[in-house]
Amino acid sequence: MLKLLSSSSRHLHTHFSSPCLRVAAESAPPAPLLRALGSIAGLTRRGEARTGSRQRLFFCSDSSGGKGGGTLVEVEVKSGDAEADGGVDVTSSSSALMPTNPRPEDYLTVLALPLLHRPLFPGFYMPIYVKDPKLLAALQESKKRQAPYAGAFLVKDEPGTDPSMVSGSESEKSIYDLKGKDLYNRLHEVGTLAQITNIQGDQVILVGHRRLRITEMVDEDPLTVKVDHLKEKPFNKDDDVIKATSFEVISTLRDVLKASSLWRDHVQTYTQHMGDFNFPRLADFGAAICGANKLQCQEVLEELDVYKRLKLTLELVKKEMEISKIQESIAKAIEEKISGEQRRYLLNEQLKAIKKELGLEADDKTTLTAKFRERIEPSRDKIPAHVLQVIEEELTKLQLLEASSSEFNVTRNYLDWLTALPWGNYSDENFDVLRAQKILDEDHYGLTDVKERILEFIAVGKLRGKSQGKIICLSGPPGVGKTSIGRSIARALNRKFYRFSVGGLGDVAEIKGHRRTYIGAMPGKMVQCLKSVGTANPLVLIDEIDKLGRGHAGDPASALLELLDPEQNANFLDHYLDVPIDLSKVLFVCTANVIDMIPNPLLDRMEVIAIAGYITDEKMHIARDYLEKATREACGINPEQVEVTDAALLALIENYCREAGVRNLQKQIEKIYRKIALQLVRKGALIESSVSSEQSDELKEEGAETSTDSAKSGSTKQDNETAEEAEIIQSDGSADQTDSSLNEPSDTKDVKESEKIEESEVTKSVEKVLVDTSNLPDFVGKPVFHAERIYDRTPVGVVMGLAWTAMGGSTLYIETTNVEQGEGKGALHLTGQLGEVMKESAQIAHTVARGILLEKEPENPFFANSKLHLHVPAGATPKDGPSAGCTMITSLLSLAMKKPVRNDLAMTGEVTLTGKILPIGGVKEKAIAARRSDVKTIIFPSANRRDFDELAPNVKEGLDVHFVDDYSQIFDLAFGYDEKDEK
């Protein structure tokens, strides 16, 4: 450690005028600064002092203006003779000093060497690179002539640049390109006389001697300048301020040296090349080894006042001390963080080893194995033998694998899936038919045929004691409740419910799973279902099965065959698990909009239950009992705040929501209630603002009356109290009425209470919103649909037909008119965007109508001599299907016989060339369409009698249905009436 001696007991070492090495005598104590710097150097050379070996020290000549000439001398010092406090005992000889001629101060003209980054201080060496070949040659020539001296000058920064920023390679290159006067103008005036000690290639080693000042330029290439040798200004070496400043510099250097090993190397190098240590050299030493920028160092170099130089150096080393503290704190924080993590890791590893040794904890593989065995233990008896064998083999394989291998993760995931499946775990089913009936009626209105089929399934399960998985396909238009029916069935049977949609599915692996060798492999949907529900007999709803896709990864429809076939799914094989799974107890419910889109092999394995949709009465009940209630609760509206009349609901259904489902009806009801909620909020805000303003006005008036009465009474005390109460009432209009009416009579209170009751009643009456047919368009806009019956009395050549659409059933007119009459001009023209089947039906109808007219009126040549135009309205809508044949025949015959058909008649049916009526589809939808159009008489093919008989009573109610086999029966029904009665 550095030991500073008191200035009162020691004297600073005096300079000799001769530039020779000064060797201390044994009797004279070493100089304090020399001892201090020796102890600084001793921080890094303690180990060397104990070895007793010899060292070679290089000393530079004094720069204080001595007249002797000596530049660099070599002295051998025995390290074992060094004093403990850093003093140096040097044994010199007459040959230790090698003076050189000429002396350094004789050099008044020197080569100018530009320094880019830092100035060169006396007593320090600096390697530089000389890129100019002429300058390098001149330096080599000077060294050969035994005049190895040059001037080292710092280069000024370019104007407008920040000196604190480090210059890049481009700026250095631009400085190397400077020549002659340009370079001369960029050099600082004060520099250092440098001795050229070594030249290797373009690297030149310089050692600083003394300060120089440029006076003028002598030569441009290479740059040669005239210089003046500078000396420090005279100073009092016994000045206490200078001593204190120097000792503070040394003390700060000592603190910095403790934290920075890089500075220790600087001290050791400097003390090896420095002989006499004094105040000026101490200042140069501190500035040279600190990390200050080049302008601050140049300022120290240019300062000739020793005290000012020491102060500048003290500022620099103090800054360096702060930087060292910051560096130490950063290093300490990082070290603590790293050491803390390492310590935690080592402790955790030791804890694992101790627990493993004591048997308190097993390794990861043992823990995983125990977890998998614990999973399968409760149901080990129910797991099939082949599955147990696979699990045991995989567990054995897991123990042999390294935890870091990829195969270990594959095996672990495989065991995770294999042991998580509910092998033999079935939920207890509820076969109570009455309970199931109640649940189905709670969730859905109507759908009698669907509910009967579910109750049949439950009844069979109750008689057998167990249920067998079936595949039910619910087909029908969107919004009729197919998906919600599946959820209700699961609730009625007390089964777990799982739904997944296969709409647009194009990858077989979604159903059958991936192979385990693939990256990111997963089991199929059924395995995921079983793991999710935890039972082996859930109800699985496969949604949108008619929208299966077919991509490059196979045909999912074919993959579903194994899943849905009751003969195969008892041994369903998933590609990921690769073991058979029993799915025979799973109840599959599929949904589809159109069964024609389902592949026939897949459709053959399903039991199709068609849901035609809801009639108007059913939609009314659904809207009242389900949709309106749920929407009212969702919007936060009380039942007493709104009333939607039956007429409004009926108009909403007939004119806005004619589709088979109720999804659009739900949207319209939500739209109505949202607008009602906005109206209620707006009215409530207006009422609140009006009531508050009225209350404030009344309170102000009462306060004024109270103050007037109190003034008349002549009581000063009552005046003050009344005034205070009036101020309180005026400042807070929402205060408690009890406080504001303390001095009021009871009659006034009764009047106010009655007024409040009346206000609340008025508010309730105002808040209630009534929705009827008059203001329904204000909530849902203009009607979308109009009355399908466009004729009060059906004209000649027009007949109403019944059609099936994706939105349910619909009525449409078929119209025929005579375009041109003439001998042999019989022809038929068709319009209405008809499909190929309807075009063929029109040709068949034309042929059959000609035959019937010939039979009924042999002398009528209408078809032979008339060019006819048959049109089906709504020409923008594509139409196709075979069930319009009998309607077209009736329209042609009505025009030919000039006799209209009955007003309340609608018909449907396919006709052959012989006049036979073939069966049609969509019986329920066409019956619903007939009721919607106020049709009383319907003609159906006899083959559809059973379909009509199975319809719900509310669908058949009020309809007069006639079933026919031949068109002759239709002819009698359409035209066999008395015209007088019809009128």
Side-chain angles (χ1 to χ4, degrees):
M1 303 299 292
L2 180 67
K3 292 187 289 184
L4 296 177
L5 301 179
S6 174
S7 61
S8 61
S9 61
R10 300 296 179 110
H11 296 285
L12 290 173
H13 181 62
T14 57
H15 294 279
F16 281 88
S17 59
S18 61
C20 60
L21 176 63
R22 179 176 177 82
V23 182
E26 292 183 0
S27 59
L33 285 178
L34 186 61
R35 187 187 312 167
L37 264 295
S39 69
I40 294 176
L43 290 173
T44 58
R45 291 187 293 171
R46 289 176 182 173
E48 298 174 3
R50 297 187 183 95
T51 58
S53 60
R54 293 183 175 271
Q55 299 181 3
R56 299 173 62 196
L57 301 183
F58 296 86
F59 297 89
C60 296
S61 61
D62 196 342
S63 62
S64 60
K67 296 180 181 180
T71 59
L72 189 65
V73 295
E74 180 181 351
V75 180
E76 290 198 8
V77 181
K78 188 174 182 181
S79 301
D81 297 333
E83 295 181 3
D85 59 355
V88 181
D89 185 13
V90 181
T91 305
S92 61
S93 62
S94 59
S95 62
L97 183 62
M98 299 294 295
T100 58
N101 289 305
R103 295 172 300 178
E105 55 268 25
D106 296 335
Y107 288 89
L108 302 178
T109 302
V110 293
L111 294 171
L113 300 179
L115 303 180
L116 302 180
H117 305 297
R118 291 175 65 85
L120 175 63
F121 282 90
F124 277 83
Y125 70 90
M126 175 185 291
I128 65 170
Y129 291 90
V130 179
K131 302 298 183 182
D132 187 359
K134 290 186 178 180
L135 179 59
L136 184 62
L139 293 175
Q140 292 175 348
E141 182 64 26
S142 298
K143 185 170 176 58
K144 290 180 182 178
R145 291 189 287 104
Q146 299 299 318
Y149 288 98
F153 301 94
L154 182 66
V155 178
K156 298 178 183 178
D157 291 314
E158 293 184 9
T161 59
D162 187 1
S164 61
M165 301 298 293
V166 179
S167 60
S169 58
E170 294 182 359
S171 59
E172 293 181 4
K173 184 178 180 180
S174 61
I175 292 174
Y176 290 142
D177 293 338
L178 293 177
K179 303 290 183 182
K181 193 170 185 59
D182 295 336
L183 180 59
Y184 175 77
N185 294 331
R186 288 284 299 276
L187 296 179
H188 282 277
E189 292 184 358
V190 178
T192 308
L193 180 67
Q195 180 179 356
I196 305 169
T197 60
N198 192 10
I199 299 177
Q200 293 182 353
D202 58 351
Q203 186 185 46
V204 179
I205 308 298
L206 304 178
V207 176
H209 277 265
R210 60 183 68 217
R211 287 170 169 77
L212 301 176
R213 184 187 301 276
I214 298 177
T215 57
E216 60 177 310
M217 182 176 64
V218 178
D219 193 3
E220 292 188 1
D221 195 15
L223 181 60
T224 306
V225 294
K226 282 187 178 183
V227 294
D228 288 339
H229 292 259
L230 302 179
K231 300 178 183 179
E232 284 81 9
K233 294 180 180 179
F235 64 95
N236 184 7
K237 62 183 178 181
D238 295 327
D239 188 356
D240 293 339
V241 177
I242 295 179
K243 289 181 181 180
T245 306
S246 63
F247 285 130
E248 182 62 24
V249 172
I250 294 174
S251 177
T252 308
L253 288 173
R254 179 191 61 186
D255 295 337
V256 176
L257 288 172
K258 293 178 182 178
S260 177
S261 60
L262 179 64
W263 280 42
R264 298 174 192 171
D265 298 336
H266 282 304
V267 173
Q268 182 177 2
T269 304
Y270 189 85
T271 52
Q272 287 180 354
H273 292 76
M274 192 69 168
D276 198 358
F277 214 106
N278 48 39
F279 295 120
R281 291 194 180 252
L282 177 63
D284 292 345
F285 172 77
I289 65 175
C290 72
N293 61 48
K294 58 183 181 180
L295 294 183
Q296 292 174 331
C297 295
Q298 180 66 26
E299 187 178 358
V300 175
L301 183 66
E302 293 177 357
E303 185 58 59
L304 300 181
D305 188 288
V306 176
Y307 172 64
K308 292 182 179 179
R309 191 190 302 174
L310 282 171
K311 284 184 63 177
L312 292 174
T313 301
L314 182 60
E315 292 179 5
L316 298 182
V317 294
K318 286 290 185 183
K319 290 180 181 179
E320 197 70 27
M321 184 62 198
E322 295 300 323
I323 294 174
S324 298
K325 289 181 179 179
I326 297 173
Q327 176 188 354
E328 184 178 0
S329 63
I330 294 173
K332 186 176 180 181
I334 296 175
E335 184 178 357
E336 287 179 355
K337 182 179 179 181
I338 296 175
S339 62
E341 293 177 356
Q342 291 178 344
R343 178 179 175 81
R344 191 178 299 108
Y345 173 76
L346 291 175
L347 290 176
N348 285 331
E349 292 297 322
Q350 292 175 1
L351 183 61
K352 288 181 182 179
I354 292 171
K355 286 185 176 181
K356 186 176 180 181
E357 190 69 24
L358 295 176
L360 300 178
E361 184 178 302
D363 57 3
D364 294 339
K365 291 191 287 187
T366 306
T367 305
L368 282 174
T369 305
K371 182 183 76 171
F372 293 143
R373 292 189 184 278
E374 183 180 353
R375 277 187 188 176
I376 64 175
E377 195 61 35
S379 58
R380 178 177 287 273
D381 298 336
K382 301 177 183 178
I383 300 177
H386 63 278
V387 177
L388 273 177
Q389 182 180 356
V390 172
I391 292 175
E392 293 295 337
E393 291 176 355
E394 292 296 324
L395 287 173
T396 305
K397 178 182 177 182
L398 189 70
Q399 290 293 328
L400 299 176
L401 292 172
E402 290 293 333
S404 59
S405 66
S406 59
E407 185 68 18
F408 179 84
N409 292 326
V410 173
T411 306
R412 182 186 61 185
N413 292 336
Y414 178 61
L415 281 170
D416 192 12
W417 281 100
L418 204 58
T419 56
L421 292 182
W423 300 102
N425 183 19
Y426 301 101
S427 61
D428 296 332
E429 290 186 281
N430 193 330
F431 296 111
D432 189 351
V433 178
L434 298 179
R435 174 180 173 274
Q437 178 77 50
K438 182 180 179 182
I439 291 174
L440 293 174
D441 289 340
E442 285 178 359
D443 294 345
H444 297 87
Y445 183 85
L447 304 179
T448 307
D449 48 353
V450 180
K451 295 177 181 178
E452 285 295 323
R453 178 63 189 88
I454 302 304
L455 295 177
E456 291 170 5
F457 174 79
I458 296 175
V460 171
K462 185 173 183 179
L463 294 177
R464 293 187 57 188
K466 61 179 181 178
S467 64
Q468 185 176 1
K470 293 291 183 180
I471 297 93
I472 300 173
C473 181
L474 302 173
S475 68
V480 296
K482 299 185 294 295
T483 304
S484 57
I485 287 174
R487 188 175 285 104
S488 300
I489 296 172
R491 192 158 71 94
L493 290 173
N494 195 28
R495 289 195 181 202
K496 298 289 185 179
F497 179 77
Y498 186 84
R499 171 192 171 272
F500 68 92
S501 177
V502 294
L505 185 68
D507 191 357
V508 176
E510 291 290 328
I511 300 170
K512 299 277 289 179
H514 303 84
R515 293 293 180 185
R516 295 200 306 273
T517 54
Y518 296 157
I519 297 176
M522 287 282 289
K525 284 292 184 183
M526 278 312 303
V527 176
Q528 298 178 32
C529 162
L530 295 179
K531 181 182 178 181
S532 176
V533 299
T535 60
N537 61 339
L539 186 146
V540 179
L541 180 70
I542 305 176
D543 221 349
E544 309 292 350
I545 198 169
D546 59 328
K547 299 177 181 62
L548 273 171
R550 184 167 184 175
H552 66 281
D555 184 12
S558 302
L560 282 174
L561 295 177
E562 181 185 358
L563 179 65
L564 299 180
D565 193 346
E567 301 298 329
Q568 299 182 42
N569 59 12
N571 294 308
F572 177 74
L573 189 65
D574 185 86
H575 290 162
Y576 185 86
L577 296 183
D578 206 21
V579 293
I581 306 172
D582 185 10
L583 301 179
S584 60
K585 301 296 189 297
V586 178
L587 176 60
F588 291 98
V589 178
C590 305
T591 66
N593 296 127
V594 183
I595 60 174
D596 298 338
M597 303 295 293
I598 304 175
N600 287 332
L602 190 58
L603 185 63
D604 183 59
R605 289 163 171 81
M606 302 177 186
E607 182 178 351
V608 180
I609 300 177
I611 305 176
Y614 302 103
I615 61 175
T616 302
D617 295 338
E618 291 174 339
K619 287 186 178 181
M620 287 285 292
H621 283 91
I622 292 171
R624 284 293 187 199
D625 301 339
Y626 300 94
L627 303 181
E628 192 177 8
K629 180 180 178 182
T631 305
R632 190 166 52 236
E633 293 177 355
C635 293
I637 300 174
N638 297 324
E640 60 272 8
Q641 290 179 310
V642 63
E643 180 183 354
V644 181
T645 62
D646 293 339
L649 269 183
L650 182 61
L652 185 67
I653 294 170
E654 291 291 339
N655 299 333
Y656 296 88
C657 310
R658 284 189 183 176
E659 67 281 345
V662 293
R663 185 174 291 132
N664 189 37
L665 179 60
Q666 181 181 5
K667 293 178 182 177
Q668 297 296 334
I669 292 176
E670 290 174 352
K671 189 176 181 180
I672 292 173
Y673 273 87
R674 285 197 304 269
K675 291 186 179 296
I676 291 173
L678 180 59
Q679 289 185 11
L680 292 177
V681 172
R682 282 177 174 171
K683 290 180 180 178
L686 292 174
I687 292 172
E688 289 176 2
S689 61
S690 62
V691 169
S692 61
S693 62
E694 289 175 2
Q695 288 179 356
S696 61
D697 294 340
E698 291 175 0
L699 292 174
K700 287 180 181 179
E701 292 175 0
E702 291 171 3
E705 291 175 359
T706 307
S707 60
T708 305
D709 296 338
S710 61
K712 290 179 181 181
S713 63
S715 175
T716 308
K717 183 176 181 180
Q718 290 179 357
D719 290 345
N720 295 335
E721 291 177 356
T722 308
E724 290 176 0
E725 290 176 3
E727 289 177 3
I728 293 172
I729 293 170
Q730 290 177 6
S731 61
D732 189 1
S734 62
D736 195 338
Q737 297 298 324
T738 305
D739 298 335
S740 66
S741 59
L742 291 174
N743 298 325
E744 293 181 2
S746 60
D747 296 338
T748 309
K749 292 182 180 179
D750 296 338
V751 172
K752 284 195 172 185
E753 289 179 359
S754 62
E755 289 178 355
K756 284 183 181 179
I757 293 172
E758 290 177 359
E759 284 180 2
S760 63
E761 291 177 354
V762 172
T763 303
K764 288 182 180 178
S765 63
V766 171
E767 284 183 354
K768 189 169 184 178
V769 179
L770 179 65
V771 180
D772 56 8
T773 55
S774 61
N775 61 356
L776 183 63
D778 297 336
F779 293 94
V780 291
K782 294 181 179 179
V784 179
F785 301 101
H786 301 280
E788 293 185 358
R789 191 177 186 86
I790 59 178
Y791 299 110
D792 294 332
R793 178 174 176 79
T794 308
V796 174
V798 178
V799 182
M800 181 183 288
L802 299 175
W804 178 93
T805 67
M807 299 176 66
S810 177
T811 57
L812 74 162
Y813 287 94
I814 293 181
E815 304 171 345
T816 307
T817 186
N818 189 358
V819 178
E820 185 179 357
Q821 191 79 20
E823 185 71 25
K825 291 188 176 182
L828 180 65
H829 179 63
L830 304 175
T831 57
Q833 200 171 353
L834 307 180
E836 293 296 329
V837 177
M838 287 194 73
K839 289 179 181 178
E840 292 179 359
S841 296
Q843 297 295 334
I844 294 171
H846 190 249
T847 302
V848 173
R850 293 185 68 169
I852 293 174
L853 183 63
L854 183 62
E855 180 184 346
K856 301 292 181 180
E857 298 180 4
E859 297 178 356
N860 191 346
F862 178 78
F863 289 110
N865 300 329
S866 301
K867 184 177 181 181
L868 306 178
H869 181 185
L870 188 147
H871 175 67
V872 182
T877 304
K879 309 170 192 70
D880 200 7
S883 61
C886 63
T887 312
M888 292 178 177
I889 294 175
T890 307
S891 175
L892 292 169
L893 290 176
S894 174
L895 183 64
M897 297 186 300
K898 295 182 174 56
K899 184 177 182 180
V901 298
R902 295 173 55 177
N903 287 332
D904 61 345
L905 180 66
M907 62 186 70
T908 179
E910 183 179 2
V911 182
T912 65
L913 282 174
T914 58
K916 293 295 180 182
I917 307 299
L918 300 181
I920 47 87
V923 174
K924 182 177 180 180
E925 289 86 349
K926 293 178 180 180
I928 294 173
R931 290 197 56 184
R932 188 188 301 122
S933 300
D934 197 20
V935 175
K936 302 299 182 182
T937 306
I938 305 177
I939 296 177
F940 276 139
S942 297
N944 293 109
R945 182 188 296 271
R946 184 178 181 84
D947 298 330
F948 185 81
D949 293 338
E950 292 178 353
L951 295 179
N954 57 353
V955 178
K956 299 183 290 183
E957 184 180 358
L959 293 178
D960 182 16
V961 184
H962 297 271
F963 298 97
V964 297
D965 294 319
D966 192 83
Y967 185 78
S968 59
Q969 298 171 323
I970 298 178
F971 186 87
D972 296 337
L973 291 171
F975 303 106
Y977 62 92
D978 191 352
E979 294 186 11
K980 294 180 180 180
D981 296 338
E982 186 71 14
K983 291 180 181 179

